[in-house]
Amino acid sequence: MKKLKKLLLFEGILSFILAILFFYVLELDHSIYLLVVPFHLIGKGLRWLSLSSNTGNMIAITLYSILSLIPVIFFLWKRRRSDLKPGDYLLLLISIYTFFMLYQFINPHQMIRHLPPLLAKENALPMIKLAYAIVFFTLWFSYLLLRSLGILNIMNGKDKTSYLCNSLQKLLITVSIGYTFLLGYFTSFQMFQEISQSNKESDPLLPSMAYSGSRSITILFAIIKFVLIGLPILYTVLTMVTGIELLEAMSTHQMDQEMFAVMKVGKYSKKTVFITVISNIIVNGMQLLLMRQLNHTNFRLELSVIPLIVAFAAMILSEYFKETKELYEDNQMII
């Protein structure tokens, strides 16, 4: 568990540095353009190889083919292991789409031809690149969901409790990693955007208002807002980590550790609810009270729903396990 905590801490720091790099060095307009960067670099590199020489062109074609065929290779490997599921056929579609998408990134001007005449301009390239990247990740996400449907098809002879606990642990670890990246990259990127906008006049066409307020107060508010939005996310991750500890104790049937983990989950889930509610109230209240002093104000509802859902679910589960434990001890005393 200590390794997981160190991993999440390292990921948080790394994703924060990534947000700094992408906003201040690469000067991305939106954090979501992160999805485009890998394909942009691959397309740029393959295009450079292709134009460098005949040898470079052959290398580019080889790399292009290998990258496009990776899903097919994975499909054939699973077929050879007799581990093929209906959802695995989606890998063939992913391979075809990867072949098409990479060609578009190698020749970006081809993308413009797919747009209506009024939108077929150079400045529309980032948007259509993002559309291609989103479809790519949607296909992979859909594949992972289809594969996860077989998680309950447990083989006979396995310890079902241990199997389910281990599967839920992997799920919680994945969600914790994703949520840590949300805090380190996306929330940080939003803060940098608000700091950058503090000395700019707002666009009258946008749903925001500009005031001749204090730039220092605007920057300070952006930092405070980052902390207040980040705290619920941080405590949600901590709640999920305690949930992983509980599942680990359940899988090894260690009753003492299990009870300790149950109490810990309940403690962190209650803190998450409290911090989420207080943070949301403070963010919305500060935005209203400092409206006159802020150079740039976006009127949006700041409400952290997912941390509340996770926290309440953890509270319910902790109370359920606590009651189950007490019932088990009562039965043992009767026996």
Side-chain angles (χ1 to χ4, degrees):
M1 196 54 59
K2 289 183 178 179
K3 290 182 179 180
L4 175 61
K5 292 178 180 178
K6 289 180 180 178
L7 172 65
L8 293 175
L9 178 61
F10 177 73
E11 182 200 1
I13 296 171
L14 191 64
S15 54
F16 182 79
I17 295 172
L18 191 67
I20 295 174
L21 175 66
F22 280 15
F23 186 81
Y24 290 106
V25 179
L26 298 182
E27 298 182 348
L28 294 183
D29 295 329
H30 300 284
S31 56
I32 194 66
Y33 284 149
L34 168 72
L35 300 179
V36 178
V37 171
F39 307 113
H40 173 76
L41 294 176
I42 291 172
K44 191 174 181 180
L46 292 176
R47 185 169 63 252
W48 177 80
L49 277 173
S50 181
L51 298 175
S52 62
S53 62
N54 289 332
T55 303
N57 186 43
M58 292 299 297
I59 295 173
I61 293 173
T62 303
L63 290 174
Y64 171 52
S65 301
I66 291 173
L67 290 172
S68 301
L69 290 173
I70 285 175
V72 171
I73 295 170
F74 187 50
F75 174 84
L76 294 175
W77 176 72
K78 294 184 74 63
R79 184 177 181 182
R80 185 175 181 181
R81 291 183 58 197
S82 300
D83 189 29
L84 207 60
K85 302 291 188 301
D88 291 323
Y89 287 94
L90 190 59
L91 290 168
L92 302 178
L93 176 61
I94 294 173
S95 186
I96 295 171
Y97 180 77
T98 304
F99 187 86
F100 166 75
M101 183 190 66
L102 289 181
Y103 179 80
Q104 299 296 313
F105 274 90
I106 295 170
N107 305 280
H109 291 287
Q110 293 286 335
M111 298 181 183
I112 300 178
R113 298 181 181 180
H114 298 287
L115 295 174
L118 292 175
L119 299 177
K121 298 177 182 179
E122 193 77 21
N123 57 7
L125 270 177
M127 185 64 69
I128 191 169
K129 284 182 178 181
L130 179 62
Y132 279 115
I134 287 174
V135 172
F136 176 83
F137 286 109
T138 300
L139 287 171
W140 273 108
F141 184 69
S142 301
Y143 168 70
L144 293 175
L145 284 179
L146 290 174
R147 283 291 300 179
S148 66
L149 289 177
I151 194 171
L152 297 177
N153 295 328
I154 306 169
M155 295 173 59
N156 294 328
K158 280 193 173 184
D159 185 346
K160 293 186 178 183
T161 302
S162 297
Y163 182 85
L164 289 173
C165 286
N166 291 331
S167 300
L168 284 173
Q169 274 185 282
K170 292 176 183 177
L171 178 62
L172 284 179
I173 289 171
T174 303
V175 175
S176 299
I177 291 172
Y179 232 51
T180 301
F181 189 77
L182 170 66
L183 172 60
Y185 175 75
F186 287 99
T187 308
S188 301
F189 199 99
Q190 180 184 343
M191 177 183 66
F192 298 148
Q193 281 183 316
E194 293 181 3
I195 291 174
S196 177
Q197 290 172 349
S198 64
N199 58 352
K200 296 179 182 178
E201 293 184 359
S202 66
D203 190 335
L205 297 178
L206 295 177
S208 60
M209 300 177 64
Y211 301 89
S212 57
S214 170
R215 182 171 183 267
S216 59
I217 292 179
T218 304
I219 293 174
L220 181 61
F221 174 72
I223 296 171
I224 293 173
K225 184 179 176 182
F226 166 74
V227 174
L228 292 174
I229 292 176
L231 277 175
I233 298 175
L234 176 61
Y235 269 85
T236 300
V237 173
L238 290 174
T239 302
M240 286 190 284
V241 170
T242 56
I244 294 169
E245 292 177 357
L246 172 59
L247 290 168
E248 187 175 352
M250 289 175 61
S251 63
T252 54
H253 305 289
Q254 298 178 7
M255 301 300 291
D256 294 337
Q257 291 186 12
E258 184 178 329
M259 194 59 194
F260 176 74
V262 167
M263 300 297 291
K264 202 172 179 182
V265 170
K267 174 184 171 183
Y268 274 101
S269 59
K270 289 175 183 177
K271 284 186 176 181
T272 302
V273 172
F274 179 78
I275 289 173
T276 300
V277 172
I278 296 300
S279 296
N280 291 159
I281 291 173
I282 294 175
V283 168
N284 288 311
M286 283 185 66
Q287 188 167 232
L288 181 62
L289 293 174
L290 297 176
M291 184 170 56
R292 186 177 180 84
Q293 285 76 34
L294 297 177
N295 286 343
H296 188 90
T297 304
N298 289 320
F299 290 95
R300 295 179 299 178
L301 178 63
E302 298 291 348
L303 184 62
S304 304
V305 178
I306 296 179
L308 288 174
I309 294 173
V310 173
F312 277 115
M315 286 174 62
I316 293 169
L317 287 173
S318 67
E319 290 299 323
Y320 169 76
F321 286 122
K322 184 179 178 181
E323 187 176 339
T324 303
K325 168 70 174 176
E326 292 174 352
L327 183 62
Y328 173 80
E329 289 178 347
D330 291 341
N331 290 336
Q332 289 293 104
M333 291 177 64
I334 294 171
I335 293 172

